[in-house]
Amino acid sequence: TAFKEITKIVSKLKDVSEDIGGGIPFNFDPVNRGSKANLTASFPVIDFLCDLYEEDKNPSHLDFAKKVADFWIDKRGKTGLFPSSPDSIETFFDSETDMCVALYKLWEQTGDLKYQNVADRCFAAILECHGKNDYPLIVDINTGEIVNGTQRTKFLALFLKLIILKIEYEKGEKIYSNKNLYGLLRDR
């Protein structure tokens, strides 16, 4: 069945995550190992696990999501922004947006204010470090200085979903109780 396949894939992701210390890699070679975590590969797992929990209420999904999130929370720079990989000091604008959404979902599902606070700080850092410079692709996670000034219109448009989420939070809305908001926040 489909649910059996989901369970199998989530189990494999857990094994891979444990093998590399908590994050999720882009690719994983079970023979050669050596994979390293990547933020762009990790946030969709957090996001999906929160959505899966919404469907089946299995607390192990949230436990796994928290482990992946906590791995990245420990890697943040002085600005509150996340690195694109554990050994990097560079952001990736789009991943910052999506990581915030994933953390807000995790906060809603767990009630743990830590995830809301980290997402709030990251959002403020995006506005400060990326926003003040017209949203460059990459900045330094510690200083906010531009590393790559390229602007991608796609990522600018996708950042709007995070701004809309913040507006909806101010109105008292939540992702999982507002199907329109939930749909809007999907990653593509």
Side-chain angles (χ1 to χ4, degrees):
T1 68
F3 190 74
K4 189 175 185 179
E5 287 304 309
I6 290 171
T7 302
K8 186 170 122 181
I9 291 169
V10 169
S11 178
K12 180 62 180 174
L13 288 170
K14 279 183 187 175
D15 291 344
V16 169
S17 178
E18 288 174 13
D19 192 55
I20 64 167
I24 303 292
F26 260 131
N27 301 301
F28 179 73
D29 181 346
V31 176
N32 296 321
R33 305 282 189 209
S35 297
K36 67 178 181 178
N38 185 284
L39 188 64
T40 302
S42 296
F43 74 74
V45 173
I46 299 167
D47 191 276
F48 174 75
L49 291 167
C50 290
D51 292 352
L52 185 57
Y53 175 78
E54 184 67 14
E55 293 300 315
D56 71 6
K57 301 300 185 204
N58 182 338
S60 70
H61 302 319
L62 295 182
D63 291 340
F64 181 27
K66 289 190 293 188
K67 284 182 183 179
V68 176
D70 291 344
F71 173 87
W72 287 104
I73 288 169
D74 289 342
K75 308 286 186 238
R76 290 176 302 153
K78 293 175 184 174
T79 61
L81 294 169
F82 293 93
S84 57
S85 64
D87 56 354
S88 176
I89 59 164
E90 298 179 352
T91 64
F92 186 66
F93 176 49
D94 187 51
S95 294
E96 301 295 320
T97 296
D98 291 316
M99 186 62 166
C100 282
V101 172
L103 290 171
Y104 283 128
K105 284 184 169 188
L106 190 55
W107 160 59
E108 284 191 27
Q109 295 292 40
T110 65
D112 188 336
L113 290 175
K114 170 174 86 172
Y115 301 110
Q116 178 194 27
N117 292 336
V118 170
D120 285 346
R121 181 161 183 227
C122 184
F123 177 71
I126 292 169
L127 293 175
E128 173 61 25
C129 300
H130 285 274
K132 76 176 181 186
N133 295 303
D134 292 329
Y135 298 98
L137 190 61
I138 299 171
V139 300
D140 183 295
I141 63 170
N142 294 309
T143 66
E145 293 179 18
I146 297 172
V147 175
N148 181 336
T150 302
Q151 297 170 326
R152 291 200 182 154
T153 54
K154 174 182 175 180
F155 298 156
L156 290 168
L158 291 169
F159 180 61
L160 295 173
K161 69 182 180 180
L162 180 56
I163 294 172
I164 291 168
L165 174 58
K166 293 295 287 182
I167 291 168
E168 292 301 307
Y169 275 157
E170 288 174 8
K171 296 178 188 175
E173 293 291 335
K174 297 285 189 250
I175 297 167
Y176 290 105
S177 61
N178 182 325
K179 295 302 179 190
N180 290 330
L181 182 58
Y182 173 81
L184 176 70
L185 295 173
R186 292 182 312 167
D187 190 30
R188 316 300 185 276

